Amino acid sequence: MKIKRFFAADVRSAMRMVREELGEDAVILSNRRVNGGIEIISAIDYDENALRREVQQEHARDTQRASSRPRIDDVHHPAPTKPQVIWNEEPALMEMRGEIKTLRGLLESQLAGIGRAEPERPHPFYQTLKQRLAMLGLGSSMARELLESLALEGSEEELWRRLLGKIAVKLAVTDDDILNHGGAVALVGPTGVGKTTTVAKLASRFVMRHGARSVALISTDSYRIGAHEQLKAYARILDVPIRFANNAAGLQSALDYFCDKRLVLIDTAGMSQRDLRLSEQFSVLKSESERVRSYLVASTTSRLSGLQEVVRGFQGVNLAGCILTKMDESTCLGHALDVVIRHRLPVAYVSDGQRVPEDLQPARAHTLVSRSVAVMQESTDLLDDEMSGVRLNEAGY
Ligand SMILES: Nc1nc2c(ncn2[C@@H]2O[C@H](COP(=O)(O)OP(=O)(O)O)[C@@H](O)[C@H]2O)c(=O)[nH]1
Ligand SMILES: [Mg+2]
């Protein structure tokens, strides 16, 4: 560790001197106003223990010096002038405040772990791997389960790769189920996640494989004005028949009507999992549960708690699997991985754009995991860039 004192007329110049001499990783240890300027004590390769030892040694030397000096009565000492620090104007202090905030967050999460009786794992990589899993987007209980099942032997990178392998093993996929086997398939899920677009992508792919006569569409979305129009437009483009069903009887008759089709795709009304009409929708689908397989469409841009609520809310119909959409917009795919693993929900397809039919792929476990790592890396790099921008701004550059 190297400690250095910098003196300049103002904070901005002092900070510039610190950065020029010690670089971006320098840690500000103290900062105060002294006669005629600003004094900053800064360190590089900061080691708190070494610093404490140095301070203790310095303190011991001071005491020795004081005891060897003739004692002067305190009354004769002039009152020391306190250095003046304007707390809320000092960029260095703002930076320290940020660091303290981060430390507090870390401490809180550690204490929360103790509250949940986390087993003591003294392995040096345990915490860093746990943090990497958290950055990937996995919830803390999933991260703990994975780490507990891992033999902690090898380098950190080897352990990380093994953890990713374990995630891939836990991820169930259905191997192009809908397009390979056809049948009657309903897409359910909240509004705006991409159900109608996915119906169009699947229909279009099936038409490309087996011709327009093999596919039919049904819409049960009678709640939104214009909802039918969107699907109707796709039906027209693909030249496939379409029917609308507003209740169980309507769905039954539409399915009977299309009984000669190899694939019947049912686009349902987008509803919030909190919507009371959802159970109405479930009862319509359940009435045909023998014939219809339901897939949940979920957006990977949702947060972990939101996705959990969606999956729980839509379990009212027997879900055969799910389709993960908006991968192209997601900044954290791990949330979706956590939820589908936890609910043992096989992933059928992933959608990564708006183009019909190009932006839809059958889900592959290893590809999903690698993609999640790539997205995590991109987000971390972005955050690093933003943080260094903030630090420079705080320093007045
Ligand atoms: N970026 C992106 N947008 C998508 C994706 N899937 C659907 N969308 C868009 O999301 C919006 C809502 O899609 P829609 O199919 O109407 O959702 P629905 O309400 O669930 O039927 C539309 O603008 C789609 O083009 C995807 O994978 N990525
Ligand atoms: Mg729709």
Side-chain angles (χ1 to χ4, degrees):
M1 179 172 70
K2 181 177 165 195
I3 299 178
K4 196 153 178 7
R5 176 181 172 277
F6 294 87
F7 178 79
D10 53 39
V11 174
R12 186 183 289 208
S13 320
M15 288 295 289
R16 189 179 301 124
M17 285 164 75
V18 172
R19 258 163 240 285
E20 274 169 9
E21 191 148 331
L22 299 183
E24 284 295 322
D25 294 332
V27 174
I28 308 297
L29 298 176
S30 78
N31 155 305
R32 63 182 184 137
R33 212 176 272 285
V34 291
N35 282 349
I38 297 287
E39 179 197 77
I40 287 182
I41 309 285
S42 180
I44 187 90
D45 299 331
Y46 178 63
D47 175 349
E48 199 188 356
N49 290 331
L51 178 67
R52 193 175 296 132
R53 277 196 303 277
E54 250 176 66
V55 169
Q56 277 165 357
Q57 280 164 8
E58 184 59 30
H59 184 66
R61 279 196 292 275
D62 275 356
T63 325
Q64 221 175 10
R65 275 198 294 272
S67 62
S68 61
R69 267 203 305 268
R71 281 178 64 85
I72 306 169
D73 197 345
D74 279 348
V75 181
H76 299 301
H77 272 300
T81 46
K82 273 194 172 177
Q84 262 190 355
V85 179
I86 304 167
W87 298 98
N88 56 358
E89 284 178 12
E90 298 287 351
L93 286 173
M94 301 299 281
E95 189 172 350
M96 281 168 79
R97 203 161 73 171
E99 282 173 13
I100 290 169
K101 225 171 162 182
T102 313
L103 282 172
R104 194 169 62 188
L106 275 173
L107 192 64
E108 276 169 4
S109 70
Q110 301 262 329
L111 288 174
I114 291 167
R116 288 193 299 272
E118 184 170 301
E120 205 175 307
R121 299 293 292 254
H123 194 281
F125 301 142
Y126 185 84
Q127 283 306 332
T128 47
L129 290 169
K130 201 167 161 212
Q131 273 162 15
R132 285 172 87 168
L133 289 172
M135 278 160 63
L136 193 67
L138 299 190
S140 57
S141 51
M142 174 78 64
R144 223 175 16 252
E145 275 167 36
L146 283 166
L147 281 163
E148 275 160 20
S149 67
L150 185 74
L152 287 166
E153 282 156 17
S155 70
E156 186 181 337
E157 286 317 304
E158 277 162 14
L159 292 174
W160 177 240
R161 273 196 296 277
R162 293 219 306 270
L163 278 174
L164 296 176
K166 277 177 181 286
I167 300 171
V169 168
K170 279 174 181 276
L171 260 178
V173 293
T174 67
D175 198 21
D176 210 0
D177 178 42
I178 299 174
L179 295 182
N180 280 340
H181 301 114
V185 169
L187 300 193
V188 299
T191 315
V193 291
K195 292 180 298 301
T196 307
T197 314
T198 307
V199 163
K201 288 175 182 174
L202 288 167
S204 166
R205 290 271 172 100
F206 207 81
V207 166
M208 280 152 72
R209 282 192 200 178
H210 305 287
R213 295 168 69 87
S214 60
V215 183
L217 306 181
I218 298 175
S219 170
T220 65
D221 192 347
S222 56
Y223 299 95
R224 276 189 309 140
I225 300 165
H228 290 325
E229 298 311 313
Q230 194 187 353
L231 198 65
K232 241 176 167 170
Y234 283 124
R236 218 173 17 249
I237 295 164
L238 296 170
D239 194 23
V240 298
I242 180 167
R243 288 210 140 197
F244 305 99
N246 297 336
N247 50 33
L251 181 62
Q252 187 188 359
S253 95
L255 285 169
D256 290 345
Y257 187 79
F258 291 135
C259 64
D260 62 329
K261 302 292 177 190
R262 289 174 70 172
L263 176 67
V264 180
L265 289 163
I266 304 164
D267 187 21
T268 63
M271 276 182 195
S272 150
Q273 56 282 8
R274 297 178 189 172
D275 197 321
L276 293 175
R277 292 170 303 176
L278 199 61
S279 59
E280 209 177 292
Q281 195 184 69
F282 291 164
S283 69
V284 172
L285 287 171
K286 271 182 184 162
S287 70
E288 287 295 341
S289 59
E290 295 279 298
R291 282 199 277 186
V292 177
R293 303 195 312 283
S294 297
Y295 287 77
L296 175 70
V297 181
S299 166
T300 53
T301 58
S302 308
R303 310 302 299 165
L304 184 61
S305 55
L307 279 167
Q308 253 155 2
E309 199 185 345
V310 165
V311 174
R312 270 192 227 111
F314 280 87
Q315 269 172 339
V317 295
N318 197 12
L319 293 173
C322 72
I323 295 169
L324 299 177
T325 58
K326 308 204 178 180
M327 303 252 294
D328 53 316
E329 287 182 355
S330 174
T331 53
C332 184
L333 292 174
H335 297 319
L337 301 194
D338 183 306
V339 173
V340 296
I341 290 173
R342 186 157 305 286
H343 292 273
R344 295 195 173 84
L345 197 57
V347 187
Y349 295 88
V350 295
S351 159
D352 55 359
Q354 295 176 296
R355 290 175 311 164
V356 177
E358 294 93 331
D359 296 329
L360 185 79
Q361 325 300 334
R364 306 261 177 262
H366 281 93
T367 315
L368 255 173
V369 174
S370 330
R371 181 87 181 253
S372 309
V373 175
V375 169
M376 172 182 94
Q377 198 53 54
E378 275 167 30
S379 304
T380 318
D381 291 349
L382 262 177
L383 196 71
D384 283 349
D385 286 352
E386 275 173 22
M387 286 309 290
S388 60
V390 169
R391 285 207 199 101
L392 289 175
N393 278 341
E394 279 179 355
Y397 290 94

